[in-house]
Amino acid sequence: MKVHTLDKAELISEIQYGSNLNHAMEAGRRADFALMMSLLSNDLRENTPVEKIDEKKVTEDLLRQRFQLADAQILRSNEESYSRAASQANQFHNGGLASAKLLHGLAPDAMAYMPQDTHDLPEDVYHNLSGHQRRQLESGNEIFNAIPQDLYNELVTAKRHSEMNLYV
């Protein structure tokens, strides 16, 4: 006799028992009823009919292409934002407000004009930095790369030397 025959019994719902489950309950055969109920799967995903839905990945770029929309308005200024804003201002002076709105609708400029070359800091904060701090911003985070790999061992050694000097 195989040991795992009950484990492999694929009883998912009470329909697979037919009328045996009902007869066991009506006749008062509690042991048979308990056995049949224990053989049912506890996993709700097996009891519930589920249809697989093929999800199509929809990105913003695909939607813009499908509905023939222009590129999204950039949030932050870049090098070409200033020339675009200058052309919109020129269009406003030459053609009026409707002409400037049309140009903005066709090629929107940036939502915010942030100061350039300040490493994402406000201008007043950047100008209050010392020259040394500005050089550190320019060079990147080389300070973190200079930390030795065995820093813990060096700290323990330094602590032991300082303890030895206290007792001398």
Side-chain angles (χ1 to χ4, degrees):
M1 182 175 157
K2 294 187 180 182
V3 177
H4 299 289
T5 55
L6 292 179
D7 290 346
K8 294 182 181 175
E10 304 228 359
L11 299 174
I12 295 174
S13 68
E14 61 272 2
I15 296 172
Q16 292 174 314
Y17 285 124
S19 61
N20 292 334
L21 190 63
N22 290 338
H23 290 302
M25 186 173 163
E26 286 175 1
R29 296 186 318 232
R30 298 182 77 157
D32 291 342
F33 180 76
L35 176 65
M36 286 186 241
M37 290 301 290
S38 68
L39 289 176
L40 289 176
S41 174
N42 291 331
D43 194 359
L44 184 64
R45 293 173 295 182
E46 291 178 353
N47 297 334
T48 308
V50 177
E51 293 180 15
K52 289 189 177 183
I53 299 173
D54 295 332
E55 286 189 34
K56 296 179 182 175
K57 298 226 176 185
V58 179
T59 61
E60 185 178 351
D61 295 331
L62 289 174
L63 289 174
R64 286 190 175 281
Q65 191 176 32
R66 180 176 178 188
F67 294 112
Q68 298 175 355
L69 297 175
D71 291 335
Q73 185 174 8
I74 58 174
L75 299 176
R76 223 184 138 147
S77 62
N78 55 19
E79 290 80 22
E80 65 183 41
S81 298
Y82 293 101
S83 63
R84 188 178 297 152
S87 67
Q88 287 180 4
N90 186 25
Q91 194 67 27
F92 172 74
H93 290 295
N94 293 336
L97 184 60
S99 178
K101 281 186 177 181
L102 177 64
L103 188 61
H104 176 73
L106 293 174
D109 59 340
M111 297 276 280
Y113 283 86
M114 304 301 282
Q116 292 182 338
D117 300 329
T118 60
H119 300 281
D120 295 333
L121 295 173
E123 267 186 283
D124 54 345
V125 173
Y126 184 76
H127 291 301
N128 282 335
L129 295 176
S130 68
H132 178 68
Q133 291 168 330
R134 287 183 194 171
R135 278 193 305 278
Q136 283 181 342
L137 286 175
E138 292 293 329
S139 66
N141 294 335
E142 293 176 8
I143 297 170
F144 298 116
N145 295 336
I147 296 175
Q149 297 298 325
D150 53 352
L151 178 65
Y152 179 74
N153 293 334
E154 290 181 19
L155 290 174
V156 169
T157 305
K159 181 181 176 193
R160 298 291 181 225
H161 283 291
S162 67
E163 289 174 352
M164 287 173 38
N165 291 337
L166 286 176
Y167 297 117
V168 173

